[in-house]
Amino acid sequence: MGRELTTYPEHACVKPKPMAYYNNPANLQYYQGTLPETNSYAAQARSSGFYDEPLSEPLSQGWLAAFSTGGYPGEPSLLEELDINFGHIKQKTTHVLNPFKHVDVHIMDDTDMAGPVLFCLLFSTFLSLHGRSHFGYIYGIALLGSLSLHLVLRLMSARNLFYTRTVSVLGYSLLPLVVVAFFKNLISFNGILGYVCAAFASIWSTYAASAMFVAILQVNNMRFLVAYPIALFYAVFAVVTVFSK
């Protein structure tokens, strides 16, 4: 028994429309609709953090862009990645210049090394202007002295003290001796004037460093015991400052 063929009327057949129909934007409104963004793959990927939003402004081009601090939106700056915060450097430097100011317990929570390295570099540079390099002596004394002081301070208090924090405090407190090394290039320090200035700067550095260590370690009743090894540490730098030629 054969299969019967079903016929359809001629008007039921779908005829292709001319190209002019598709070129008319008014006839394509049905095809312009999109799914809601909440159900799209792009929205899910964006919420999952697989890719960022497109940049509102293009990144700078050229070799000068390598020295700039700009980047993608939300990206930390170059100084922040290097742990260089000029605001914190200014705050700690101001405290060393005014050692009688109240010391915040959290002043050394961010143990940046930019300030200490800068002060040691300036100290060595000012002494080297006399014609002899002292970089090796300065960094050698700083390394051995900071290690010894760190061990002594760890034995004095039960609080945890990191070596980088010790170096940061000692480096910032070196600022008065850096000032003396600078003025040595302007006036002669061979007489009593040099001895008095170096001794005064050493006492100043000792007072500022001991105040910060007492606040960090919470050993208010051991101020002189903390200051004694620190005074020996800065006395070596004072001797180098006066007798360096």
Side-chain angles (χ1 to χ4, degrees):
M1 188 173 184
R3 180 179 299 177
E4 296 181 358
L5 298 177
T6 304
T7 59
Y8 297 92
E10 184 179 358
H11 65 274
C13 298
V14 179
K15 296 181 179 180
K17 294 180 175 58
M19 187 60 63
Y21 175 84
Y22 296 102
N23 292 334
N24 187 4
N27 298 328
L28 300 179
Q29 294 180 358
Y30 177 79
Y31 304 99
Q32 292 179 356
T34 57
L35 292 175
E37 189 179 7
T38 56
N39 297 329
S40 63
Y41 174 77
Q44 296 177 3
R46 187 180 297 108
S47 62
S48 302
F50 286 107
Y51 71 95
D52 297 330
E53 295 288 344
L55 294 176
S56 57
E57 296 181 1
L59 295 177
S60 56
Q61 303 293 331
W63 64 274
L64 290 176
F67 300 95
S68 64
T69 58
Y72 295 97
E75 182 183 18
S77 62
L78 179 61
L79 296 178
E80 185 178 352
E81 292 181 352
L82 296 176
D83 292 334
I84 300 177
N85 191 322
F86 289 105
H88 293 170
I89 294 176
K90 179 181 177 181
Q91 178 185 3
K92 298 169 186 177
T93 304
T94 305
H95 173 73
V96 173
L97 295 177
N98 185 14
F100 300 101
K101 183 180 179 181
H102 174 71
V103 182
D104 187 6
V105 179
H106 305 285
I107 189 173
M108 285 296 173
D109 286 349
D110 55 329
T111 55
D112 64 286
M113 303 298 294
V117 171
L118 176 62
F119 291 157
C120 286
L121 182 62
L122 290 176
F123 185 75
S124 303
T125 302
F126 293 151
L127 294 181
S128 299
L129 294 179
H130 293 276
R132 183 179 178 182
S133 177
H134 296 81
F135 288 92
Y137 297 102
I138 299 303
Y139 284 103
I141 295 172
L143 178 61
L144 294 178
S146 61
L147 286 173
S148 302
L149 283 174
H150 178 70
L151 178 60
V152 172
L153 294 174
R154 284 289 300 270
L155 296 176
M156 289 185 181
S157 175
R159 296 177 64 90
N160 192 14
L161 179 65
F162 297 101
Y163 176 71
T164 54
R165 183 173 297 184
T166 303
V167 174
S168 182
V169 173
L170 295 175
Y172 276 106
S173 301
L174 187 65
L175 181 58
L177 289 169
V178 175
V179 176
V180 173
F182 170 76
F183 281 104
K184 185 182 178 181
N185 298 306
L186 304 178
I187 58 178
S188 177
F189 275 13
N190 294 329
I192 189 65
L193 178 62
Y195 303 153
V196 172
C197 292
F200 179 75
S202 178
I203 296 173
W204 192 339
S205 299
T206 302
Y207 190 89
S210 61
M212 284 189 281
F213 277 123
V214 167
I216 294 173
L217 299 177
Q218 297 294 317
V219 286
N220 298 324
N221 56 341
M222 302 173 62
R223 177 68 180 270
F224 291 99
L225 189 60
V226 172
Y228 176 71
I230 297 176
L232 297 179
F233 175 75
Y234 288 116
V236 177
F237 287 97
V239 171
V240 172
T241 304
V242 174
F243 295 101
S244 63
K245 296 180 180 181

